[in-house]
């Protein structure tokens, strides 16, 4: 889908919210709607059409904005949001929506001041999550981008294992750097978030940061990582054992794998997100480990590593074909070790499509 | 300075703002005040003292928060900010400041709802930038961390040049990956922002992202990069020429170098930030190139790559000893090429201390 088509889809939502225009301040949303990849911009999307839609950015990006967004009028002003409120007022906009889930209290106050000083009859209205609603459902170009990003991560892990990179004596930090380097070799622009490599007792820390801790024989090694490619993020977790697994390690692994499979199977068009979380969580709770699964089951993934929908007990809404989500249950035994298994998948009418293809059998290295 | 001493310093500002407590929601500020390095947390800093100060985070970080912040009471709740408003109400807080430059309009509305439902007489008040004001002035431990980060970047660039890594035939992307790898080898946790490598006409794009464009003989090559180490960010730009420089390249370089020297010399305790910007800008404007220097002169740098103070024409305030800032004028000739030269420096009573030590003579490779 082209950026122009996305803006057209957004216009439907803008009109349905009874707005004349939407001020988009979240830079990720600006990228989604225009293709602009700079770090400072805002977009005024008029309900009328692209002729009265404007991109604002600052002087560092004059050339880049012209190259990336030739089809929209551009305003060069460091205070992008304020410049576009002025522009909206001049264009006769009266009901201007703003991204209330993104704009800060102070930034909002500044826009209200501009509106009351420079424009007549312009009213700022809360309009949270309109672009996020579109972004939650990916088009096939986006799914292709995510598939490529996931393939980078799969290939990097396969290389790492084949090269004997997961072995006693290396540090968590060395493994993380090695894995990130291999993702780049396979075409990643970089890691999609700070790589988590957690060995031994550290694997019981859900979001452990790699340290100089040394991998040892008998350790569980949990690896949560992803590739960023063309703006899209992959996300995968695998847990392996160095050497033959102890009985408790195998039991823990089998439990998490069963929960993860149940979560994947629950991914169906129309399924409640809380129900998907419950499908996996029940497996773990039934084994008496509910308290040791201390986070949600998964999240949407795309231009951001965490985006809508949230697959959690408190999440609301249902799955739609084209949503891309992670399924990542974990059980963490403090002081001993933990296991998490995570895939990125696409919700499809005929069952979820797996984007992260690395096998999920317990690997003893 | 310890985290506890920072909280004590903050309490002075909280009391001066006539608040009973401050709700800190900016995760970087939480790290500064507690040492907590997770990705989701909030902090309630009571004016009374640490016994009524609380850190909130979610279940993924229970173990990590206990290890990193053993000295504060901890609340485990995914909705960190809301849990702390409830906690403040229970503790009898009436005037609760919030970070209005960080909290979104929707998050603020949710806190107001909690306050009106669960607490009696608790009022949320705007309190922007209190922690930022402290963070702008670094203590010697922080300056040491920044010096180390800058040294990583210096060493990586020296290695890259010594290895012949800047040569015709390589792509911008290859050079960026190479430079980032060398920073890690010298102890960086990663790059402090997306490395900019811009060759030939691309060097005229101030914030260019590395592409598959191939470096060619005669190109200006602009490199803007930094190392992240222990949470602190270095920031440096150097521009070199591949082969003997053309006259226009040397003239452009000399102009920017003169402006950069003027900016560095203007860094004095008590100097107005707008005056520092003007000191460098005047040099470029006098040469008739004012319009081609399209951004501010520099910015504070520390736990974030961009923080207070801003060195720009519209910036307000004066420099204080211990501030760490960049000085980075640039002149960009669209379609031909650009030069930027940037250092990270500490404002000291006896003149600025240079943290980025790579030489600034025009290097012809």
């Amino acid at each position: 889908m082209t950026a122009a088509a996305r803006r057209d889809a957004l216009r439907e939502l803008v009109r349905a919210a009874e707005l004349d225009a939407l001020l988009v301040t979240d830079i990720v949303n600006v990228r989604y709607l225009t293709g602009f990849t700079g770090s400072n911009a805002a977009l005024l999307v008029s309900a009328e059409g692209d002729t009265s839609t404007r991109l604002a950015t600052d002087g560092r990006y004059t050339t880049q904005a012209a190259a990336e967004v030739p089809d929209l009028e551009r305003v060069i002003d460091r205070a992008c949001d304020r410049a576009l409120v002025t522009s909206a007022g001049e264009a006769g906009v009266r009901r201007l929506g703003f991204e209330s889930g993104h704009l800060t209290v102070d930034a909002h106050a500044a826009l209200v001041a501009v509106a009351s000083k420079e424009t007549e009859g312009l009213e700022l209205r809360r309009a949270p999550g309109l672009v996020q609603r579109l972004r939650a459902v990916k088009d096939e170009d986006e799914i292709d981008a995510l598939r490529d990003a996931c393939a980078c991560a799969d290939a990097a892990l396969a290389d790492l294992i084949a090269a004997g990179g997961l072995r006693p004596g290396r540090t968590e930090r060395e493994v993380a750097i090695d894995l990130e380097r291999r993702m780049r070799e396979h075409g990643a622009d970089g890691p999609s978030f700070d790589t988590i490599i957690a060995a031994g007792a550290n694997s019981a820390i859900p979001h452990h940061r790699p340290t100089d801790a040394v991998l040892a024989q008998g350790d569980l090694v949990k690896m949560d990582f992803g590739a960023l490619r063309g703006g899209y993020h992959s996300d995968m977790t695998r847990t392996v054992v160095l050497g033959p697994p102890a009985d408790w390690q195998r039991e823990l692994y089998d439990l998490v794998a069963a929960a993860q499979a149940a979560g994947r199977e629950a991914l169906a068009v129309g399924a409640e997100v809380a129900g998907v979380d419950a499908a996996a969580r029940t497996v773990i709770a039934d084994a008496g480990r509910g308290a040791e699964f201390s986070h949600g089951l998964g999240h949407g993934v795309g231009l951001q590593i965490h985006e809508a929908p949230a697959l959690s007990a408190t999440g609301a809404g249902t799955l739609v074909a084209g949503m891309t989500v992670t399924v990542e249950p974990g059980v963490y035994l403090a002081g001993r070790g933990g296991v998490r298994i995570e895939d990125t998948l696409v919700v499809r009418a005929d069952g979820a499509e797996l984007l992260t293809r690395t096998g999920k059998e317990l690997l003893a290295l």
Side-chain angles (χ1 to χ4, degrees), chain A:
Chain A
M1 199 188 281
T2 63
R6 291 173 182 166
R7 293 193 295 270
D8 283 339
L10 179 62
R11 278 187 192 102
E12 304 274 330
L13 301 182
V14 169
R15 286 190 212 106
E18 301 190 338
L19 299 169
D20 300 323
L22 179 70
L23 176 65
V24 180
T25 53
D26 183 333
I27 191 74
V28 180
N29 290 345
V30 173
R31 178 177 183 158
Y32 178 77
L33 293 168
T34 65
F36 179 68
T37 61
S39 67
N40 181 33
L43 182 70
L44 178 72
V45 179
S46 161
E48 285 176 13
D50 266 356
T51 52
S52 35
T53 290
R54 276 170 188 73
L55 175 76
T57 184
D58 66 64
R60 295 173 299 172
Y61 294 114
T62 308
T63 309
Q64 183 177 331
E68 291 181 340
V69 194
D71 51 338
L72 290 181
E73 193 179 316
R74 296 174 302 281
V75 179
I76 302 300
D77 193 318
R78 187 143 193 99
C80 300
D81 52 359
R82 277 174 277 171
L84 290 181
V85 167
T86 301
S87 174
E90 289 166 0
V93 167
R94 304 188 75 83
R95 300 161 305 175
L96 176 60
F98 68 96
E99 297 191 290
S100 49
H102 175 264
L103 205 66
T104 68
V105 171
D106 284 350
H108 175 250
L111 296 189
V112 169
V114 169
S116 69
K117 226 184 283 179
E118 297 184 18
T119 67
E120 207 167 323
L122 184 148
E123 182 200 347
L124 283 157
R125 293 193 184 180
R126 277 193 210 181
L130 296 188
V131 187
Q132 277 81 352
R133 209 187 303 170
L134 295 179
R135 278 176 44 200
V137 180
K138 273 71 180 172
D139 57 48
E140 291 302 324
D141 290 344
E142 293 187 283
I143 292 171
D144 286 346
L146 281 161
R147 193 182 286 110
D148 286 350
C150 290
C152 286
D154 281 329
L157 181 57
D159 280 0
L160 180 77
I161 291 171
L166 287 172
R167 62 175 185 269
R170 294 194 101 190
T171 67
E172 293 172 341
R173 218 172 118 84
E174 283 167 359
V175 173
I177 291 173
D178 195 349
L179 193 52
E180 291 183 6
R181 183 177 59 80
R182 291 173 195 274
M183 287 197 289
R184 285 182 187 274
E185 283 173 2
H186 286 282
D189 297 321
S192 60
F193 55 92
D194 288 348
T195 296
I196 295 172
I197 303 291
N202 286 342
S203 63
I205 302 173
H207 269 212
H208 177 70
R209 195 168 317 190
T211 66
D212 291 328
V214 175
L215 277 58
Q217 185 74 3
D219 275 357
L220 285 168
V221 181
K222 185 182 69 189
M223 300 167 284
D224 188 349
F225 66 104
L228 175 65
R229 188 166 172 167
Y232 285 82
H233 299 72
S234 83
D235 197 356
M236 173 165 79
T237 308
R238 290 293 184 271
T239 308
V240 302
V241 190
L242 300 186
D247 288 349
W248 71 271
Q249 290 173 328
R250 184 171 290 285
E251 275 166 34
L252 193 61
Y253 193 93
D254 289 347
L255 174 62
V256 174
Q260 208 257 353
R264 282 187 282 120
E265 279 153 30
L267 290 179
V269 172
E272 297 277 347
V273 294
V276 178
D277 180 278
R281 195 169 299 276
T282 304
V283 174
I284 293 171
D286 285 352
R289 293 289 189 195
E292 280 117 352
F293 174 20
S294 50
H295 53 75
L297 181 66
H299 53 83
V301 62
L303 284 171
Q304 285 178 300
I305 184 67
H306 293 120
E307 53 182 54
L311 303 186
S312 70
T314 56
T318 56
L319 294 181
V320 173
M323 285 181 166
T324 48
V325 296
T326 70
V327 172
E328 50 175 312
V331 176
Y332 312 96
L333 308 183
R336 298 180 73 193
V339 170
R340 181 165 64 243
I341 304 172
E342 172 187 30
D343 284 312
T344 298
L345 305 103
V346 189
V347 177
R348 300 280 197 189
D350 53 352
E353 176 191 345
L354 195 62
L355 297 186
T356 43
R357 302 295 186 89
T358 300
K360 287 182 284 282
E361 303 75 29
L362 175 55
L363 213 54
L365 296 171

